[in-house]
């Protein structure tokens, strides 16, 4: 029997082949239309989504702000006849009510072996009997979620260690299954080549490597979370992870008699497929409402502040970055601001709509204000300054921000001050000037710093914020804070000059 397995992960609510500014080769419509036709060529099929499904796009933002009986994104995957779902860490971003409304209707398909306390019933694993060949799929979600997520969004939930929970269920799976698949919204913390060399801090955010080290019963790992795009064998075990936003997806063909396997990541840009009309019809109503919502103009700038080159903007500063700092400082009423630019950043034209804000800031982060000692602020700035390296008199990005996972979002700039960075100096000694109102910042004094909740809580990346007192919170999505700021100003002044200089 030829069994085809399709895996998606980190779709982030991307349905149509667009980011709502320009057409892009991605999304559920193209993937689903392909799968519905392609699966007819095989004896049996399994379709599995590994999480971060219902958050992260303009459509999911709209859905989270408007009452819905059911989530059309879930309806879409049900139209494709998905067999199993894993929850991702971003599933919790919009709160438990949104999570429950989205997944309760398909709770019998949610495989969840390590989250306790959900308001809908799930099973740790499902066993699919395919003409006598039994495939066991066990589901895990990264247990690192409490380090990022706002407490109100995970109230009453407990996130257990996936490795410990696999040990709990391993015997049951081995006794009942011919083939075991770990479906994991998490990634690999060690090299894909040898599974022994750490490629990141071993925080337990990603435990794919540890699972393979400790258990020899696993036949396949379908992973996600890191947005890395790979499919390969690690010590004989097939492991895959698609890119984010539905840019590609996993296709595996297993011969259940010989156990021979063929596998690939299917690139959506290479698909020549007609969109399935039944699938598309599920989204037409919300899409039309979304377009009206996105086109609402909220204000204007003195001139365009478009970001043409993200690297140059990070290196030399940009009016758009200055604007974001102004928004942060206004909302948090803090001494300083710390923020990063996302890879989706394109800046603003003179006239700004809701669409423009959501494209530039698609995540439902909120703002926190921390009380931080001057020396700890400098430590954070030194950490950020490791983003750049100089080789052959040219500035580039430190490979640690590129591999194994691209992490441009972990480079912060700082507002409310002027500062200078010298890239010719060693890591940890690059900040040569820090001033507020032309006066040196006192390293012994405490200041307030406004930043997003992810940066404030994920102290594995910026340990200088660990233990800092939270003295303020703005419980609105930052995208809404930006919208409100522009609406209140009506016409926003543009600050051209950067508040920082980087020497090299």
């Amino acid at each position: 029997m030829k069994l085809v397995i399709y895996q998606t992960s980190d779709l982030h609510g991307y349905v149509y082949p667009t980011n709502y500014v320009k057409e892009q080769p991605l999304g559920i419509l193209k993937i689903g239309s392909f799968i519905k036709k392609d699966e007819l060529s095989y004896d049996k099929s399994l379709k599995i989504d590994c999480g971060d499904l219902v958050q992260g796009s303009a459509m999911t933002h709209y859905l989270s702000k408007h009452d819905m009986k059911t989530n059309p994104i879930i309806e879409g995957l049900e139209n494709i006849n998905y067999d199993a779902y894993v929850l991702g860490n971003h599933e919790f971003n919009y709160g438990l009510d949104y999570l429950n409304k989205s997944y309760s209707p398909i709770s019998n398909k949610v495989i969840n072996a390590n989250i306790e306390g959900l308001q809908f019933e799930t099973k740790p694993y499902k066993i699919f009997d395919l003409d006598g060949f039994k495939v066991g799929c066990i589901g895990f979600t990264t247990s690192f979620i409490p380090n990022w997520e706002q407490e109100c969004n995970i109230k009453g939930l407990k996130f257990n260690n996936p490795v410990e929970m696999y040990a709990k269920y391993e015997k049951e799976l081995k006794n009942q299954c011919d083939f075991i698949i770990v479906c994991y919204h998490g990634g690999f913390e060690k090299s894909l080549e040898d599974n022994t060399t750490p490629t990141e801090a071993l925080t337990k955010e990603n435990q794919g490597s540890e699972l393979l080290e400790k258990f020899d019963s696993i036949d396949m790992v379908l992973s996600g979370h890191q947005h890395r795009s790979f499919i390969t064998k690690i010590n004989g075990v097939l492991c895959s992870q698609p890119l984010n936003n539905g840019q590609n997806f996993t296709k595996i063909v297993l011969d259940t008699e010989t156990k021979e396997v063929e596998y690939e990541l299917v690139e959506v840009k290479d698909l020549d497929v007609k969109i399935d009309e039944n699938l598309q019809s599920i989204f037409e109503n919300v899409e039309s409402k979304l377009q009206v919502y996105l086109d609402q103009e909220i204000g204007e700038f003195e001139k365009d502040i478009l970001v043409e080159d993200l690297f140059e903007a990070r290196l030399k500063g940009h009016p758009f970055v200055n604007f974001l700092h102004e928004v942060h400082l206004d909302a948090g009423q803090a001494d300083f601001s710390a923020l990063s630019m996302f890879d989706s950043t394109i800046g603003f034209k003179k006239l700004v709509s809701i669409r423009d804000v959501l494209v530039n800031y698609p995540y439902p982060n909120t703002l926190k204000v921390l009380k931080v000692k001057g020396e700890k602020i400098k430590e954070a700035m030194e950490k950020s300054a490791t983003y750049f390296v100089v080789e052959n008199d040219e500035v580039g990005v430190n490979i640690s921000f590129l591999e194994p996972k691209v992490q441009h979002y972990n480079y912060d700039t700082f507002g409310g001050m002027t500062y200078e960075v010298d890239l010719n100096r060693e890591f940890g000694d690059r900040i040569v000037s820090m001033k507020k109102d032309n006066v040196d910042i006192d390293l012994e004094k405490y200041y307030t710093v406004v930043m997003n909740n992810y940066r404030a809580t994920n102290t594995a990346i910026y340990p200088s914020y660990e233990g800092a007192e939270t003295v303020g919170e703005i419980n609105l999505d930052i995208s809404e804070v930006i919208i409100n700021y522009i609406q209140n100003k009506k016409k926003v002044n543009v600050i051209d000059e950067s508040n920082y200089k980087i020497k090299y």
Side-chain angles (χ1 to χ4, degrees):
M1 179 178 67
K2 289 291 181 75
L3 167 65
V4 62
I5 301 167
Y6 303 100
Q7 179 222 1
T8 50
S9 189
D10 300 271
L11 288 169
H12 285 289
Y14 277 80
V15 175
Y16 288 82
T18 179
N19 67 352
Y20 291 97
V21 174
K22 61 182 180 180
E23 294 292 308
Q24 293 185 330
L26 47 76
I28 292 168
L29 287 181
K30 287 200 169 187
I31 293 172
S33 299
F34 172 85
I35 289 175
K36 290 175 80 170
K37 185 176 180 181
D38 187 67
E39 67 176 332
L40 300 176
S41 301
Y42 303 93
D43 300 311
K44 296 289 181 180
S45 68
L46 281 177
K47 286 156 286 214
I48 301 164
D49 183 76
C50 286
D52 281 4
L53 171 61
V54 296
Q55 177 280 336
S57 66
M59 181 177 285
T60 61
H61 170 90
Y62 178 83
L63 291 170
S64 74
K65 302 301 177 186
H66 295 79
D67 191 38
M68 59 178 189
K69 292 181 180 178
T70 57
N71 193 319
I73 292 167
I74 297 290
E75 289 183 58
L77 267 65
E78 282 297 281
N79 180 269
I80 306 165
N81 291 316
Y82 268 66
D83 298 286
Y85 299 81
V86 177
L87 300 180
N89 56 295
H90 284 292
E91 253 69 79
F92 298 89
N93 288 169
Y94 294 141
L96 291 174
D97 184 58
Y98 180 81
L99 174 76
N100 295 334
K101 284 183 178 178
S102 297
Y103 283 94
S104 289
I106 49 122
S107 62
N108 63 317
K109 293 186 177 183
V110 177
I111 48 174
N112 160 43
N114 73 307
I115 305 173
E116 295 181 30
L118 291 168
Q119 293 175 30
F120 48 91
E121 192 173 337
T122 63
K123 294 183 174 67
Y125 58 83
K126 287 195 74 172
I127 297 174
F128 298 94
D129 189 337
L130 307 169
D131 290 347
F133 186 80
K134 294 181 180 179
V135 178
C137 295
I138 186 167
F140 297 113
T141 304
T142 175
S143 58
F144 209 63
I145 289 173
N147 292 277
W148 307 305
E149 193 54 70
Q150 297 184 76
E151 190 175 346
C152 62
N153 290 342
I154 54 173
K155 189 174 181 180
L157 302 182
K158 182 181 179 183
F159 297 87
N160 295 313
N161 185 326
V163 172
E164 294 174 3
M165 299 313 290
Y166 186 83
K168 175 180 177 180
Y169 294 110
E170 181 185 30
K171 186 176 180 180
E172 294 177 31
L173 288 166
K174 288 172 69 174
N175 288 341
Q176 299 179 73
C177 303
D178 300 300
F179 199 84
I180 298 174
I181 302 176
V182 168
C183 307
Y184 177 36
H185 190 82
F188 290 81
E189 71 276 27
K190 296 183 180 179
S191 168
L192 300 179
E193 282 72 40
D194 59 18
N195 202 47
T196 59
T197 307
T199 52
E200 63 185 41
L202 302 180
T203 62
K204 305 292 187 183
E205 176 183 351
N206 300 297
Q207 294 176 272
S209 304
E210 187 179 353
L211 281 164
L212 293 182
E213 284 175 356
K214 293 191 172 179
F215 306 103
D216 60 7
S217 56
I218 298 169
D219 295 297
M220 185 181 295
V221 179
L222 304 178
S223 69
H225 183 57
Q226 293 173 305
H227 300 183
R228 287 176 63 180
S229 190
F230 64 82
I231 187 163
T232 187
K233 286 188 176 182
I234 302 175
N235 296 337
V237 178
L238 185 59
C239 303
S240 74
Q241 186 176 126
L243 267 175
N244 57 306
N245 303 349
Q247 298 177 74
N248 61 18
F249 60 96
T250 302
K251 178 184 175 183
I252 298 166
V253 180
L254 172 68
D255 187 314
T256 59
E257 294 177 9
T258 66
K259 298 292 178 70
E260 290 182 2
V261 63
E262 299 174 2
Y263 51 89
E264 64 176 320
L265 285 178
V266 180
E267 300 296 330
V268 173
K269 64 181 174 60
D270 296 332
L271 295 182
D272 181 16
V273 61
K274 182 182 177 183
I275 300 299
D276 183 272
E277 292 181 1
N278 289 332
L279 178 59
Q280 184 167 326
S281 67
I282 293 168
F283 301 101
E284 286 173 346
N285 184 43
V286 67
E287 175 71 5
S288 63
K289 291 178 179 178
L290 172 61
Q291 292 291 351
V292 173
Y293 171 75
L294 291 176
D295 287 334
Q296 294 178 52
E297 286 190 354
I298 55 175
E300 65 176 302
F301 284 74
E302 293 177 315
K303 61 181 180 180
D304 292 353
I305 53 169
L306 294 169
V307 179
E308 304 289 348
D309 186 320
L310 280 169
F311 177 80
E312 284 291 307
R314 290 178 176 122
L315 180 65
K316 298 179 179 179
H318 192 279
F320 182 75
V321 178
N322 297 338
F323 163 72
L324 292 179
H325 281 300
E326 289 295 307
V327 173
H328 271 215
L329 292 166
D330 179 76
Q333 293 296 298
D335 297 313
F336 306 125
S337 163
L339 60 83
S340 60
M341 280 196 303
F342 300 124
D343 290 343
S344 61
T345 299
I346 59 174
F348 292 145
K349 290 184 178 179
K350 184 177 179 180
L351 293 175
V352 183
S353 67
I354 291 176
R355 180 190 307 271
D356 301 320
V357 174
L358 295 182
V359 167
N360 282 281
Y361 211 106
Y363 302 103
N365 296 331
T366 58
L367 290 172
K368 285 180 177 284
V369 182
L370 303 185
K371 184 179 178 181
V372 186
K373 199 172 184 179
E375 64 180 359
K376 291 296 184 180
I377 296 172
K378 183 177 184 294
E379 281 182 24
M381 295 170 71
E382 292 286 4
K383 164 64 182 178
S384 185
T386 65
Y387 177 78
F388 295 109
V389 291
V390 181
E391 295 178 351
N392 301 320
D393 297 324
E394 289 191 6
V395 182
V397 178
N398 186 335
I399 195 168
S400 68
F401 286 81
L402 301 173
E403 295 180 1
K405 176 182 178 181
V406 177
Q407 300 177 66
H408 297 302
Y409 54 80
N410 278 328
Y411 168 68
D412 281 356
T413 61
F414 297 82
M417 66 169 80
T418 56
Y419 62 100
E420 292 186 12
V421 184
D422 188 346
L423 300 186
N424 296 305
R425 299 167 74 99
E426 295 294 321
F427 288 167
D429 189 36
R430 288 181 157 188
I431 306 300
V432 295
S433 174
M434 300 165 57
K435 295 179 184 289
K436 183 169 181 64
D437 300 325
N438 293 318
V439 177
D440 286 342
I441 291 171
D442 187 343
L443 299 185
E444 296 301 314
K445 181 180 174 182
Y446 281 87
Y447 299 89
T448 52
V449 187
V450 59
M451 63 191 75
N452 72 44
N453 63 293
Y454 178 90
R455 179 67 77 242
T457 55
N458 187 20
T459 54
I461 303 298
Y462 279 82
S464 52
Y465 299 135
E466 188 170 2
E469 181 185 356
T470 299
V471 295
E473 293 189 54
I474 296 88
N475 290 314
L476 279 177
D477 289 356
I478 294 176
S479 58
E480 290 189 62
V481 175
I482 295 170
I483 290 167
N484 292 341
Y485 182 91
I486 297 172
Q487 286 177 326
N488 291 335
K489 293 284 185 181
K490 297 298 183 185
K491 189 163 187 176
V492 183
N493 295 326
V494 174
I495 301 172
D496 286 309
E497 186 177 357
S498 176
N499 67 306
Y500 64 89
K501 293 181 181 178
I502 297 181
K503 297 189 285 188
Y504 52 92

